[in-house]
Amino acid sequence: RAKKAGRNNYATSKAELHASHFEHLQLENMLHNAIAGEQLVLYYQPQVNADTGQINAVEALVRWEHPEYGIISPGDFIPIAEESGLITEIDEWVLRTACWQNVQWQRKRYEPVKVSVNISTQQFMQKNLPNKIADVLADTQMDPTLLEIEITETMVMQDTDLSARQVERIRHMGVKVAIDDFGTGYSSFQYLKHFPADTLKIDRVFVKDVDTNDNSRSIMKSIINLGHELNMRVIAEGVETQQQLLQLRHRSIDDIQGFLFHKPMPAAHNWEKLFRKPTQ
Ligand code: C2E
Ligand code: MG
Ligand code: MG
Ligand code: MG
């Protein structure tokens, strides 16, 4: 494209390229320092039983607490981390920290809850991922059955054979696997056949208008039934209203994750109260 363009155009695009390249390097550098300087923190969002409200699990969600810019959300820095390859380091840190935190909670004799960790495509496609998970489990003395790894359909579709092998090796250790953002990817049901995943997480887009839109309701019902037929725990993401909750309960959803119950909260939050069994 540069060759076809005139001299001026070329100069402009080169300048732009330089600027973006510079900014990129700067961001990359900042992110690198963030990892080393302990600016990354994990928030945890509870996943609750739709009928009792009891916490079954928490999802670990990373945030970047920048000394100048404040809290930066993963949507703003995960893509940069993926491009630069720093994501592998971040994902490993997240995994290790989430396991460490879970063990701390267990030591305080809280009711056992699972912790769910998002894994990037790059990390998921690395053949040594199961070994890395095994190392972290051993180092932190984490109970493998309390760990869940979240992957997306889009990842799976990139290489179904490798994905199936990875999932098998991960589950062989006793670690659970969840399919995240279900319904937003290619959604070919074909792959589910080869995927003995434990949890199906229905994306927020289907939850959003489940109380007002007949089609959304039908789709929701079908996905929940599909998950149950395949012996999966089915969970709805992004539940914000009581009406949505009622509709989901009515369709036998297992678990709920959303602001209606809990927002993501830092580890320093008073979890003791939340993790206790509801007294009634
Ligand atoms: P996700 O895994 O689908 O996580 C759920 C997102 O929905 C979280 O956003 C959460 O705060 C938000 N959410 C939960 N309940 C509600 C609700 O009721 N309403 C609304 N509007 N939003 C809700 P967050 O924390 O900004 O994370 C965004 C995405 O970034 C995650 O989507 C995940 O794909 C990625 N991500 C987060 N942490 C990590 C991580 O440690 N590693 C990797 N590789 N990706 C991560
Ligand atoms: Mg997730
Ligand atoms: Mg999700
Ligand atoms: Mg989502």
Side-chain angles (χ1 to χ4, degrees), residues 17-277:
L17 192 85
H18 187 75
S20 72
H21 184 63
F22 178 72
E23 271 173 25
H24 206 97
L25 276 180
Q26 213 177 14
L27 262 169
E28 228 183 275
N29 208 14
M30 276 167 55
L31 199 51
H32 196 80
N33 292 338
I35 301 166
E38 297 179 7
Q39 291 169 11
L40 295 184
V41 288
L42 286 188
Y43 276 50
Y44 298 90
Q45 187 181 29
Q47 300 175 353
V48 305
N49 180 295
D51 298 319
T52 65
Q54 186 171 342
I55 298 178
N56 284 331
V58 294
E59 177 173 12
L61 296 160
V62 71
R63 271 103 185 86
W64 178 2
E65 284 183 354
H66 194 277
E68 270 172 73
Y69 306 126
I71 294 185
I72 306 173
S73 64
D76 291 330
F77 70 86
I78 292 283
I80 300 161
E82 278 174 340
E83 271 179 60
S84 60
L86 282 171
I87 189 67
T88 310
E89 228 175 303
I90 294 177
D91 277 354
E92 265 183 66
W93 178 85
V94 170
L95 180 66
R96 193 168 285 275
T97 307
C99 288
W100 178 85
Q101 184 61 63
N102 193 280
V103 170
Q104 300 309 305
W105 282 331
Q106 302 310 314
R107 291 202 174 138
K108 290 184 178 172
R109 300 185 174 281
Y110 293 168
E111 285 300 313
V113 289
K114 275 187 304 184
V115 65
S116 203
V117 173
N118 295 283
I119 231 93
S120 68
T121 310
Q122 266 180 51
Q123 179 82 302
F124 181 64
M125 292 303 178
Q126 279 175 17
K127 287 211 180 76
N128 67 347
L129 174 65
N131 297 335
K132 279 188 184 173
I133 295 174
D135 285 347
V136 170
L137 290 171
D139 292 348
T140 58
Q141 303 194 334
M142 168 79 171
D143 175 351
T145 62
L146 292 180
L147 176 64
E148 187 163 74
I149 300 293
E150 296 197 2
I151 60 176
T152 63
E153 295 172 273
T154 318
M155 289 181 193
V156 169
M157 296 306 290
Q158 286 196 4
D159 187 339
T160 32
D161 289 342
L162 175 61
S163 299
R165 276 200 304 278
Q166 295 285 67
V167 167
E168 198 185 296
R169 288 177 63 199
I170 292 169
R171 289 185 84 236
H172 189 70
M173 293 185 264
V175 174
K176 309 265 190 311
V177 172
I179 299 175
D180 200 2
D181 304 334
F182 186 77
T184 58
Y186 294 88
S187 289
S188 151
F189 296 132
Q190 172 72 11
Y191 76 85
L192 282 175
K193 200 166 66 178
H194 311 288
F195 263 81
D198 303 274
T199 302
L200 196 62
K201 297 188 76 178
I202 305 176
D203 195 79
R204 200 167 61 203
V205 295
F206 300 107
V207 175
K208 226 163 56 187
D209 54 3
V210 74
D211 51 331
T212 51
N213 184 301
D214 284 343
N215 289 340
S216 275
R217 253 194 285 254
S218 305
I219 293 171
M220 182 60 76
K221 189 176 174 198
S222 308
I223 300 180
I224 294 171
N225 289 343
L226 173 73
H228 286 163
E229 285 293 325
L230 295 170
N231 293 316
M232 289 193 264
R233 169 175 81 114
V234 185
I235 164 163
E237 292 191 300
V239 180
E240 294 182 352
T241 71
Q242 199 68 38
Q243 289 90 325
Q244 290 168 346
L245 174 66
L246 287 176
Q247 291 299 331
L248 290 162
R249 261 192 198 149
H250 187 59
R251 279 156 192 83
S252 308
I253 194 87
D254 299 304
D255 287 0
I256 297 287
Q257 181 178 351
F259 296 166
L260 177 64
F261 284 91
H262 305 283
K263 291 201 165 165
M265 297 168 284
H269 184 86
N270 183 8
W271 287 92
E272 192 176 0
K273 262 190 186 155
L274 292 176
F275 284 157
R276 261 203 306 257
K277 262 188 180 153

